[in-house]
């Protein structure tokens, strides 16, 4: 029997390395909580909000994130490919997602705003139509990634090989679009 939590507020709670009470969380808010290395597996988060939380290295096997928002969260090394990606609709704002893996994840309905995605793995991910607003992709991996119709106009530090990724009708802006030519090791004057 699944445990159900609705419209609860969890504030300044420390779940570090602990087994989180699995179940369905709907309309709940997590504020200033430490969930680093917590076992969040087999949990459903529906219309929940995480604000100023640390979720670094949290285990999210079969965890569901439906209409769930993350604001100013630290989420280092999370493996979203382990999550339940059915109805995967997270929104990330002002989050640090360094070393996160989105390998093979269908993220058509995800949103990223002002996020740090250093060394994140987007290999085989479906990012069709995703808006990456002001995101830093330093050393992020894009390989066989579907970026068609995505919007990276305000993002930067990406290196995307057009021959190894689908970028049809994706939107880029200068000078960051030079990252589409990295594989050719050419020098483009006028870019600082």
């Amino acid at each position: 029997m699944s445990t159900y939590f609705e419209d609860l507020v969890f504030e300044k709670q420390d779940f570090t390395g602990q087994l989180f009470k699995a179940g369905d969380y709907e309309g709940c808010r997590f504020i200033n909580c430490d969930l680093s290395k917590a076992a969040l597996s087999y949990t459903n988060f529906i219309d929940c909000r995480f604000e100023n939380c640390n979720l670094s290295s949290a285990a999210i096997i079969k965890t569901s994130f439906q209409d769930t928002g993350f604001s100013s969260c630290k989420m280092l090394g999370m493996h979203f490919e382990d999550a339940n990606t059915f109805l995967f609709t997270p929104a990330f704002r002002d989050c640090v997602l360094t070393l996160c893996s989105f390998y093979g994840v269908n993220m058509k309905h995800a949103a990223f705003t002002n996020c740090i995605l250093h060394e994140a793995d987007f290999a085989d991910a479906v990012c069709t139509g995703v808006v990456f607003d002001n995101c830093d992709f330093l050393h992020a991996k894009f390989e066989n990634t579907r970026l068609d119709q995505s919007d990276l106009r305000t993002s930067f530090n990406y290196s995307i090989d057009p021959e190894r990724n689908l970028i049809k009708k994706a939107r880029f802006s200068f000078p960051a679009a030079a990252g589409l030519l990295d594989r050719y090791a050419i020098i483009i004057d006028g870019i600082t």
Side-chain angles (χ1 to χ4, degrees):
M1 182 173 192
S2 181
T3 307
Y4 182 75
F5 303 93
E6 184 176 19
D7 299 328
L8 297 178
V9 176
F10 300 88
E11 190 164 4
K12 295 181 180 176
Q13 294 195 25
D14 188 353
F15 299 100
T16 307
Q18 296 181 24
L19 182 65
F20 189 79
K21 187 151 183 125
D24 296 317
Y25 291 78
E26 187 167 355
C28 294
R29 290 179 63 200
F30 296 84
I31 304 167
N32 296 312
C33 292
D34 192 347
L35 296 126
S36 58
K37 298 182 181 178
L40 304 178
S41 298
Y42 304 100
T43 299
N44 298 314
F45 294 104
I46 304 155
D47 198 28
C48 290
R49 299 290 169 260
F50 291 84
E51 303 164 28
N52 299 303
C53 293
N54 183 0
L55 292 106
S56 296
S57 299
I60 53 172
I61 297 168
K62 301 295 182 200
T63 302
S64 177
F65 298 104
Q66 298 174 31
D67 296 319
T68 295
F70 299 90
S71 176
S72 300
C73 290
K74 182 178 177 183
M75 306 172 79
L76 306 177
M78 292 183 69
H79 287 267
F80 288 95
E81 75 272 14
D82 294 338
N84 179 352
T85 57
F86 180 72
L87 299 175
F88 184 70
T89 51
F92 303 98
R93 176 177 292 281
D94 303 314
C95 292
V96 178
L97 293 148
T98 296
L99 295 169
C100 282
S101 176
F102 297 94
Y103 177 82
V105 176
N106 184 341
M107 297 188 298
K108 284 194 231 180
H109 303 288
F112 295 83
T113 305
N114 300 324
C115 292
I116 297 172
L117 292 149
H118 294 181
E119 300 183 62
D121 185 357
F122 290 94
D124 292 319
V126 178
C127 302
T128 301
V130 173
V131 175
F132 293 99
D133 183 18
N134 196 40
C135 293
D136 184 352
F137 288 102
L138 187 67
H139 302 300
K141 180 181 180 180
F142 293 93
E143 188 171 322
N144 197 36
T145 307
R146 290 199 56 179
L147 290 161
D148 47 317
Q149 300 175 10
S150 62
D151 188 343
L152 290 105
R153 288 179 294 171
T154 59
S155 291
F156 51 96
N157 287 333
Y158 51 79
S159 179
I160 300 170
D161 183 348
E163 294 181 25
R164 299 183 78 157
N165 297 281
L166 181 61
I167 63 169
K168 186 175 183 176
K169 295 189 179 180
R171 301 184 77 177
F172 302 94
S173 64
F174 187 79
L180 298 171
L181 303 172
D182 284 348
R183 79 176 300 227
Y184 301 109
I186 60 176
I187 299 168
I188 302 172
D189 288 334
I191 297 178
T192 56

